[in-house]
Amino acid sequence: NIETLIKAMPHILKEYKKVHLDIVGKGHLQEKFKNLVKKLKIERNVKLFGKISNKELLEAYNACDVFCLPSLAELEGMVVLEAMACGKPIVIANSKNSASTFFVEDNGLLFKAKDPKDLAKKLLTLLKDDELREKMAKKSYLNSKDYDINKSVDKLEKIYSAVKNGRKIAQ
């Protein structure tokens, strides 16, 4: 739902002129998004990078002030975890089909899915408040530790063992 993010930019630019939106990743709607950026006359503030290397992706995470995932459906939310591990506050679409909403715990904000004005409001909240942004960034980094691969494997092994041995699984 990148279209919502792009449509939020004119609302943000009315209040915060220095903002830049970098969109990473390539999909079949790339040309549509380029045309929307031109139509909204925000080419100076929005850049569509397409597919980039893992090194460049890490650099992009570390360069940004806020990470936004406007997706309406998300199964794992790996990009959210990557942003959190880089200590970024997150802004996520509040969609019932997105597992990423569960990552928002005092480390970011949820916005009304498909609502560019609400997304702009949430992004401006973080962009204008350095202290809040820093607080949420630290919380993101700490929360990302809960998803360490070794911890996840340990949890899966305990569940597997419990099922195998006919025991109930403790929550």
Side-chain angles (χ1 to χ4, degrees):
N1 199 30
I2 298 295
E3 188 172 334
T4 299
L5 181 55
I6 293 170
K7 286 180 176 180
M9 282 299 288
H11 302 290
I12 294 168
L13 288 165
K14 284 179 187 172
E15 293 186 44
Y16 199 83
K17 304 267 187 242
K18 297 185 289 182
V19 71
H20 290 274
L21 171 62
D22 292 340
I23 299 173
V24 175
K26 186 170 176 145
H28 67 283
L29 297 175
Q30 191 87 356
E31 280 304 311
K32 177 183 175 183
F33 299 146
K34 284 181 183 178
N35 290 333
L36 179 59
V37 167
K38 285 180 186 174
K39 179 182 172 186
L40 296 173
K41 297 180 178 19
I42 54 174
E43 300 100 308
R44 295 179 76 207
N45 300 88
V46 178
K47 184 163 183 181
L48 289 95
F49 283 88
K51 185 170 174 45
I52 60 176
S53 71
N54 287 338
K55 181 181 182 240
E56 291 169 317
L57 182 60
L58 181 60
E59 290 170 359
Y61 282 128
N62 285 310
C64 74
D65 294 308
V66 177
F67 175 82
C68 179
L69 183 71
S71 297
L72 301 176
E74 196 71 34
L75 296 177
E76 295 181 53
M78 293 302 295
V79 294
V80 178
L81 284 173
E82 290 168 350
M84 289 169 56
C86 290
K88 301 303 169 181
I90 57 176
V91 178
I92 308 293
N94 193 5
S95 172
K96 64 180 178 172
N97 295 322
S98 177
S100 296
T101 59
F102 298 104
F103 292 128
V104 180
E105 297 177 15
D106 298 327
N107 63 328
L109 302 168
L110 294 173
F111 72 93
K112 294 176 198 164
K114 296 185 179 183
D115 186 337
K117 286 184 181 180
D118 190 54
L119 174 53
K121 179 181 171 187
K122 299 297 170 37
L123 287 170
L124 282 166
T125 296
L126 291 172
L127 292 170
K128 289 181 170 185
D129 190 335
D130 294 342
E131 190 176 310
L132 177 63
R133 195 172 60 249
E134 184 63 30
K135 177 182 159 194
M136 287 185 172
K138 287 178 183 175
K139 185 69 172 164
S140 267
Y141 180 73
L142 291 173
N143 289 359
S144 74
K145 301 271 184 209
D146 292 337
Y147 298 94
D148 176 86
I149 187 70
N150 295 313
K151 285 184 179 182
S152 296
V153 168
D154 287 344
K155 288 177 186 177
L156 285 172
E157 285 177 346
K158 286 177 184 174
I159 291 169
Y160 176 77
S161 178
V163 170
K164 178 182 161 195
N165 296 317
R167 295 190 317 261
K168 289 189 176 185
I169 301 169
Q171 294 287 339

